[in-house]
Each structure stands twice: as structure tokens, then as C-alpha cells.
Amino acid sequence: MALSGIQIYKLLPQTNCKECGFPTCLAFAMKLAAKQVELAACPYVTETSKVQLAESAAPPIRLVTLKAGNFEVKAGNEVVLFRHDKTFYNRPGIFIRIYDDQSLADIQVKVSTADAYAVNYVGMDLTLDGFAIASRAGNPQSFATAVNAVRQSSHKPIILMSRNVDIMTAGLSALNNETPLIYGADATNWEAFTGLANQYKAPLGVLAPDLDTLADLTEKIKSKGVDDMVLDPGGRELGSGLALGTQIRRLAVKKNFRALGYPVISFPGDAGDVGLEAIRAAQALAKYAGYIVLDTFSPDLVYPLLVLRQNIYTDPQKPIQVQPGIYEINAPQPTDPVLVTTNFSITYFSVANEVEGSGLPAWLLVTDAEGMSVLTAWAAGKFDAERIAKAVKSFNIADKVSRKRIVLPGHVAVLSGELESELPDWEIRVGPREAVDLPSFMKQVL
Amino acid sequence: MPVEIPKDNWPGTVRSVIIGATAAQGGTRQKTITVGGEKTLPFLNFEHLMPNPPVVAIEIKDRRPEDWSSLLLQIWGDAVNNPAQWAKAAEAAGADLLQLSLSLTDSTGNPTKSESAVETVKAVLAASGLPLMIFGPGQANTDNELLVPIAEAAKGERLVLGICEDKNYRTIVAASMANGHLVNSRTPMDVNLAKQLNILVSDMGMPLDRILMDPTTGALGYGIEYGYSAMERLRLAALQGDSMTQFPMLVTPGFEAWKTKEAKVSTGVPTAWGDWMERSIHWETLTAITLIEAGADIVVLRHPESLRRVKLAITDLVSAPAA
């Protein structure tokens, strides 16, 4: 648990020597609490305090990174149970699993298609993070061959899945200069697997049937020098998965319980049914998984999951904004109307979606309202006649339309008078309050 | 190493609300539905068993909804032309209850008449024994005109009447109080607005066990995170003991998901969107399940396959071991 400035102050020498560059120890403590300076700047702090401060500075959930080439998939470092309390930081890595008893051709087709998959959402290209390779053939040679096949089709990070030390060694030997997840260690193989994790400097997946055993196992593994672990607490059903995920997150965040302070891996693909796989993956996204392994790769499944991940991991303090500008909907002509809205992403998408769905062409003018919705922006003075007129001029809309008609959102009908004086050669119309009423308004009124 | 599981012990409880009334209770429903009663966050059986699992309603319309995705019109077939048949089909598909949404205009393009709306409600009540929710077209004046006579005609049925918003709550609440119905108190994705409307509704003397709250939501990709967090915060406030948030929550993921381009449009979309039908079902299902895990007690869906999947998921969620 992170210490407050005052708690840190109590651990400092309290001499106000200024050698750290700050006027008082308290000022230095405040900077430490805000993680803006290093403790090393204080020459006089005691060893005991150093240990205490180092422990408190460590995040409650260890940051684990899987790497391959230029790709990195981070999990951990989360500090809250609810996104509204602050935000969730590291979007869970979504991996596609293949099995080493599949034909090489099947593996390569699936992996290269999934590797190339990208879908645009709110101007961002969303992609998958990597591949899990599971041993099912039961021999090292098949596993190494499958790993090679995946590596030939993708450069993204890898999760190796076998609990047999010889098979895992074969998989690890097939990879060069990268950091896969070794999955995994259990109560019977943990010593050998700890050896592999140390030898290959890779994080270790740890499996146990209950949290008591899991905590024992991570402590034993840690004592052998492995710091980076990923937990598999079981819980393949939705209900037990939710309970275990919540318990682990609570123990880490509220109790600073180090033995379970690691990211969790989830296997929705084990559901064996695409509908349930999607639902389990959705739960894992919102309820605390760090890595998610799917068995199904199909765009209609992956697209909603990537969007959900983006939504849940949006910083609640920073609404997603769209770029102010003029957007063409349904190939508008110079005679078509100009609709005005703000650059708050939901406002933009509500309006754009309705107009697009109606099939009616229009120019959509998105003003810079600092990411606020129409009413909020109006109340805050970020969406007024002056700003709208400025947007009309700066985006040169007059060059695109022959009939100068501009439609205001109904909520800001009050602006129409002022806007008439700002834009004297424009016809100012007041549209509906809600985006959903735009199509009928456009059909009947425009 | 024995791990001590941190358990929350909340002072507050969500109120239990019963929807529908059987003959013995003054209505004609074959069964009633109870929602709410939670003492902890959703499905955390290791703290408290969930007294009433979330339920799934199917939305039906008073006439063929031309603006609906053709996937929905196809799957319900001829039933979309007849609300009574549609109600039966929804019941057969496994719906726990029904939401009848009234249209702004009738098939001739004229404003929907209250007499015909009443007839539709009677036909639906006769066709299905499930508890029923009636939503107006969402324009305050029209909602009032249609819902008041319906409330009177279906006296004692414990219908849920909506949309009860800040603009028209007085009329809807009065009609519900006088005729033994419930209200769905709807506000736009904001904890304080939700609480404020609940206070106004209860100040009119509406019994607190006859109020549902509808914090609204966006669909997946269209603002679900706002609805999700508003719902998590409302439920936390309820558990912390804030009386005016201790109502079961209703949301309409079907309405939201099926108006997205992802569900409505099959052509001219990126190939990365995949199969239209599967994508649409995932869109509705994932919107619903995410909100159920944020505290929704009633989700209103549109597609029978989504209904099937969400009900399976709820069964799985409530069956988590207690300890």
C-alpha cells in the first residue's frame, strides 16, 4: 500500500538539511509520495526506513511484461478495484491459443490471420497481442515444431503452455531473445520450472486449485529468485472466476498481500462454446484479468472484445475526444445541411451513427468543446455562438456548401440569435434535442 | 499459507421489488418476478448469496418496427406484426418478463391513439402470463397520454410503467400509485441525477418497493463505460446505506446494442467486423453481461439467442460456491 506524504515524513531524518534539493523533509516527503523524486536524493535516510519505503513503493500488483521484438504486453500495476476510483492502467493482453497437435498449415493460417488482424475504433487501430501455444501431443519435438511454426507467422509475444519440464525446455529453446510466459508451475513441477524461469529470465505462470496453495507456491518460487509471476487460480466458471478475480485484486490492493500481488491469466476458450467464450472474456476484461487466452479467432468475436477492453480501460477523468473538423456522412453534396455538435466522443458517435443509419447525407461540423457533451459544454462556456462561428470559418465549410444551412442541437436553441449575428449569411435552424430524433427531423423539416 | 479473504460487510440492502400480480394478488399474471434484495456486489456468493438473480426481459413492439435491424425482424418472423403473438414467442424463447414498447405513430403514420394502445396491452396480457412492463415512445407528453389510460385499464397488474423521467414523472407516478403499478425512474448516466429523480418520485408518496431505477447506458463502443461506472457507483452507494439509491436497476442493452451500426448494417462495413449475425449477438450479449456484472437486475434484450446466452451466463454466475 502506498504511504502518504505524512507517513513517509515520519521515516525521514526530519532535519531539514536541504541536501535533497527541497527546503524541508516534509516537502521532500510529499514529492516522494507523488513519485516525483527518488529516495536516493536523501543522503541520511536510515537502512530500516529505506527497506520500509522500498516496500511501500512497490506496486500492489507486480508489473509483468511479455516481450518479443518490438512488441510488449504489460499486465499489473493496477491500484483500484473500480475504474471510477482512478482508472485501470494496463489493458489485458488478448492471446489466441493454438495446439501442437494441429497441422502446421492450420497453425500458420490461424496465426498469420490473427496476427494481421486490425480493426479501427474511434480512430484507433485495435489489434491482438500474441499467441499461446499449448502442448497436447505430449512430446518435446511437436511442441518445438509448433513454436517454430508460430514464430514464422507472427512476431508477437508468446505464452508457452505445458507442465512438463522437457516439453517446456524444448519450447523455450525454440525462441531467441524474447520474454515469453512460461505456463506453468504447479505443486509438483515448481522446482524445475523455477529453474527454467531463472535460466530464461521469463515470467512464470503459477497454477493451484485454491488461493492458500497458490500463495504457498508463489512464496516458494519467489524464495528461489523468480520475481515475475502470473496467477492461474482456476475458476473456469463465470461465478467462481469472478469470485477469485475479485478476491485476488482485493488482497493485493486493499491488504497489500504480496503472495498474490501478481497479474491473473484467464482462459475463456476453455468454455468450448463461442457464446460463452465471449461472455467469459468480457468478464475477464472488466473483472481483473491481466492476460486473456481465447481459443476462437473470428473477427465478429474479437472486434467487440477489443472495443470492450478499450471502453473499460478508458481513463474516466479523460473522456475520449474526436478531432474537431468537418465530417462527411453519406457522401454529402453542396446542397446538404451542416449539422453542428461537440467533440465529446459519445456525442459525436451518437450523432454520426443516427445520421449514418438514416442514409441521409449531411456535413457534420464537430467543434472543439474540450471533450464535453452539448449541454455540459454549453454550461461551461465551451460551446457558444462564437466558438461555432469560429469552427465554421476555420474549417472553410462555406467552400463546401452552396446552400448555407446550419442545424444547432435543440438543447442550445438559445444560441440561434447570437449565431445569426456571428454568421449573417447563414440560415440557422434548430434541430432536435436528442440525436435519435435527427433522422425524422432531417426527413420532415430539412 | 491460509489466506484470509477480505469480505465486505455493507450496511445497506437493495430493496426487493415484485413485478406482476397473480389472480390471488389482484392481477392476471401466471407468475411474479422478484428483483433486488442484494446485500453485496453482484454474484459475490462468498459474502452473501444473491437473493434474486438478474432477470431478462424481451422487448416487443405494438406494431412492426420498420426501423429495427432486419436480423431481428427475420428471427421473430410474423410475430412482429402482432404484439400478442410476439409476446407468446418471447415467452416461448425463455423471457422472464416482457417489455412492450409503444410507437409514436401507428401504421398509417398518425399518432398512436390511447384506445388502441390500451387494446394492445389487453391483448398482450391475454396472450402471455408473464409480468409486463410498458414503455411509452419516450416523449413526455405522448407517454403521459398513452400510459395513464393503460394504467387504469390494467389496474392491479403491477405493471412497470416507463419512461418516467424528470419531465413527466408526476403523471406517471400518480397513475401508477392510483392503479397499483410500478415505475421505471430513468435518468441519463449520472449518479446524482438518478438519486434526485428517485427522491422526487418517492416524495410523491410512491411506495419504495414499487420503484425501479434506470440509469441508462450506452452500448458497447458507444459509451458503455459511462453506464457501467454510473451503475457500479449507484450500487456501491446503495450498499453503503444511501436509501435513495437502494432500488433494483433496469437497463436496456437490447435497445442500445441494436441501434449501433455494428448491429444494424451488413454491407459497406469493414471485413474486420466479421459475420453480421454473430457480431450483433455478441454486441447485445456483451453489453448486457457487462452491465449485469455492474449491478443490473433487469436487462431488456431483443434477440432470442442473446436471451439464451445471457440466461446461461446468469445461471453460471449465481451458482458460484458460497465459501
Side-chain angles (χ1 to χ4, degrees):
Chain A
M1 193 68 58
L3 297 181
S4 70
I6 299 293
Q7 288 167 316
I8 295 174
Y9 172 70
K10 289 180 183 155
L11 297 169
L12 295 177
Q14 303 175 21
T15 54
N16 297 339
C17 72
K18 302 184 178 58
E19 286 180 43
C20 60
F22 292 92
T24 61
C25 289
L26 184 59
F28 181 59
M30 292 300 173
K31 289 286 172 188
L32 276 176
K35 298 191 171 30
Q36 290 166 343
V37 288
E38 294 291 327
L39 181 62
C42 175
Y44 303 111
V45 66
T46 63
E47 281 308 313
T48 341
S49 294
K50 262 188 202 166
V51 172
Q52 270 181 280
L53 285 166
E55 272 177 15
S56 81
I61 300 171
R62 189 170 173 86
L63 182 70
V64 171
T65 308
L66 308 187
K67 282 184 221 165
N70 296 324
F71 295 102
E72 280 191 347
V73 190
K74 292 182 177 175
N77 259 3
E78 303 299 337
V79 294
V80 292
L81 278 151
F82 302 101
R83 61 184 291 282
H84 62 255
D85 281 339
K86 191 167 174 68
T87 185
F88 292 172
Y89 289 102
N90 288 301
R91 291 191 291 271
I94 301 182
F95 288 68
I96 303 292
R97 175 161 58 183
I98 59 100
Y99 297 87
D100 68 351
D101 58 355
Q102 290 174 282
S103 80
L104 291 184
D106 285 356
I107 292 174
Q108 286 181 331
V109 168
K110 188 169 182 178
V111 172
S112 48
T113 325
D115 181 79
Y117 182 81
V119 65
N120 191 278
Y121 168 69
V122 205
M124 293 176 284
D125 273 331
L126 308 181
T127 55
L128 292 163
D129 297 289
F131 296 89
I133 303 153
S135 162
R136 206 159 57 181
N139 66 75
Q141 186 51 46
S142 300
F143 195 56
T145 310
V147 172
N148 280 323
V150 171
R151 240 322 140 250
Q152 279 161 23
S153 310
S154 168
H155 299 294
K156 293 186 174 180
I158 280 178
I159 297 172
L160 296 171
M161 298 180 63
S162 168
R163 291 196 235 167
N164 175 300
V165 69
D166 295 329
I167 295 175
M168 184 56 74
T169 307
L172 286 163
S173 323
L175 297 173
N176 283 313
N177 290 323
E178 60 180 277
T179 314
L181 175 64
I182 303 173
Y183 173 100
D186 58 26
T188 57
N189 69 10
W190 69 272
E191 284 179 291
F193 269 65
T194 301
L196 288 179
N198 277 322
Q199 185 188 340
Y200 288 90
K201 298 191 170 41
L204 187 56
V206 186
L207 306 82
D210 59 75
L211 295 187
D212 294 357
T213 324
L214 190 58
D216 277 335
L217 206 48
T218 60
E219 289 293 273
K220 283 195 279 193
I221 291 170
K222 190 175 160 63
S223 74
K224 301 280 184 189
V226 173
D227 290 324
D228 289 341
M229 283 178 258
V230 172
L231 308 177
D232 179 357
R236 293 296 188 264
E237 286 78 33
L238 282 170
S240 52
L242 178 65
L244 287 164
T246 304
Q247 290 167 355
I248 290 171
R249 175 65 69 92
R250 270 192 199 167
L251 281 160
V253 168
K254 292 169 91 169
K255 302 288 175 192
N256 207 22
F257 185 74
R258 295 291 178 188
L260 295 176
Y262 302 96
V264 169
I265 188 166
S266 166
F267 294 92
D270 286 352
D273 166 278
V274 181
L276 265 183
E277 184 175 5
I279 289 173
R280 288 192 195 177
Q283 174 177 289
L285 285 170
K287 296 296 177 185
Y288 315 136
Y291 295 102
I292 297 174
V293 179
L294 300 175
D295 277 22
T296 305
F297 168 75
S298 71
D300 43 76
L301 167 70
V302 167
Y303 174 36
L305 289 175
L306 289 171
V307 171
L308 182 60
R309 177 173 75 170
Q310 206 65 30
N311 291 164
I312 295 290
Y313 277 74
T314 296
D315 185 342
Q317 270 96 46
K318 290 184 210 149
I320 316 178
Q321 306 185 12
V322 291
Q323 193 66 31
I326 183 89
Y327 290 75
E328 300 181 8
I329 300 185
N330 298 328
Q333 300 300 309
T335 47
D336 289 320
V338 177
L339 313 178
V340 185
T341 192
T342 73
N343 69 327
F344 176 43
S345 74
I346 293 189
T347 303
Y348 165 79
F349 281 102
S350 316
V351 173
N353 204 37
E354 290 299 341
V355 180
E356 211 163 78
S358 75
L360 299 168
W363 306 89
L364 182 55
L365 173 63
V366 175
T367 62
D368 182 3
E370 296 177 19
M372 287 184 235
S373 67
V374 167
L375 265 184
T376 319
W378 172 72
K382 308 293 181 193
F383 187 57
D384 53 24
E386 202 180 323
R387 281 190 181 233
I388 296 169
K390 200 175 139 200
V392 167
K393 286 165 191 161
S394 64
F395 300 122
N396 299 319
I397 300 159
D399 300 346
K400 296 185 194 291
V401 295
S402 54
R403 187 168 168 199
K404 294 182 175 174
R405 267 188 309 172
I406 194 161
V407 181
L408 280 177
H411 278 300
V412 292
V414 60
L415 296 180
S416 56
E418 280 173 64
L419 194 58
E420 272 169 13
S421 31
E422 292 275 350
L423 299 172
D425 48 345
W426 285 74
E427 179 189 345
I428 314 291
R429 307 290 296 265
V430 175
R433 285 164 177 257
E434 303 298 335
V436 67
D437 300 320
L438 265 171
S440 59
F441 171 83
M442 290 170 71
K443 265 177 219 151
Q444 289 159 21
V445 185
L446 289 184
Chain B
M1 180 194 305
V3 176
E4 196 191 330
I5 304 295
K7 292 187 184 177
D8 286 332
N9 195 8
W10 302 101
T13 305
V14 178
R15 290 184 186 86
S16 293
V17 170
I18 301 170
I19 306 169
T22 60
Q25 296 153 338
T28 62
R29 305 298 79 209
Q30 274 155 19
K31 64 166 184 174
T32 62
I33 291 277
T34 306
V35 288
E38 293 95 338
K39 292 178 188 298
T40 185
L41 293 168
F43 312 108
L44 298 186
N45 286 358
F46 64 94
E47 289 176 346
H48 284 286
L49 290 178
M50 204 169 194
N52 301 295
V55 294
V56 186
I58 281 285
E59 180 181 5
I60 63 173
K61 297 279 292 184
D62 52 353
R63 67 177 175 88
R64 184 183 170 86
E66 299 295 348
D67 58 338
W68 279 27
S69 168
S70 59
L71 292 175
L72 291 168
L73 298 177
Q74 274 159 24
I75 192 83
W76 291 111
D78 280 345
V80 299
N81 300 311
N82 180 326
Q85 266 184 36
W86 200 345
K88 279 186 187 156
E91 182 171 0
D96 297 307
L97 68 171
L98 303 173
Q99 178 192 304
L100 170 64
S101 302
L102 302 171
S103 309
L104 198 54
T105 55
D106 61 24
S107 53
T108 61
N110 293 310
T112 303
K113 292 190 185 65
S114 60
E115 300 80 30
S116 70
V118 168
E119 287 313 308
T120 305
V121 170
K122 283 184 179 165
V124 169
L125 285 169
S128 164
L130 294 181
L132 181 63
M133 309 192 282
I134 316 274
F135 279 39
Q139 297 196 357
N141 289 336
T142 320
D143 283 10
N144 291 347
E145 282 163 26
L146 298 179
L147 291 173
V148 173
I150 288 171
E152 289 164 358
K155 191 175 171 85
E157 290 282 13
R158 280 184 88 92
L159 305 177
V160 176
L161 298 181
I163 301 168
C164 171
E165 293 179 285
D166 61 345
K167 287 173 235 156
N168 70 342
Y169 73 91
R170 284 195 180 84
T171 310
I172 306 290
V173 169
S176 291
M177 280 171 65
N179 297 288
H181 301 306
L182 285 63
V183 295
N184 180 49
S185 159
R186 177 183 281 184
T187 46
M189 291 198 262
D190 182 280
V191 173
N192 293 320
L193 291 178
K195 193 176 159 180
Q196 192 184 348
L197 183 58
N198 294 338
I199 292 171
L200 293 172
V201 169
S202 61
D203 278 353
M204 284 184 66
M206 186 75 194
L208 299 182
D209 63 351
R210 278 161 55 191
I211 301 174
L212 299 174
M213 70 177 168
D214 177 353
T216 62
T217 183
L220 174 58
Y222 296 84
I224 193 176
E225 66 270 35
Y226 295 87
Y228 178 82
S229 285
M231 289 174 71
E232 282 202 329
R233 291 176 59 204
L234 280 166
R235 183 48 52 86
L236 286 167
L239 296 174
Q240 280 155 4
D242 181 345
S243 172
M244 282 300 114
T245 57
Q246 292 171 338
F247 302 101
M249 290 192 277
L250 174 151
V251 276
T252 52
F255 168 76
E256 298 294 339
W258 285 99
K259 74 176 181 192
T260 65
K261 187 172 181 181
E262 281 79 358
K264 256 190 152 171
V265 181
S266 65
T267 53
V269 299
T271 49
W273 285 17
D275 178 75
W276 182 27
M277 169 71 97
E278 267 304 308
R279 173 178 79 236
S280 304
I281 303 287
H282 285 314
W283 221 265
E284 182 174 37
T285 308
L286 299 193
T287 303
I289 207 73
T290 304
L291 297 173
I292 284 172
E293 296 206 355
D297 294 280
I298 304 175
V299 290
V300 187
L301 302 182
R302 285 185 172 177
H303 198 287
E305 174 60 14
S306 306
L307 167 79
R308 189 189 70 82
R309 291 186 190 178
V310 170
K311 284 188 64 106
L312 266 182
I314 292 171
T315 307
D316 184 347
L317 280 163
V318 294
S319 63

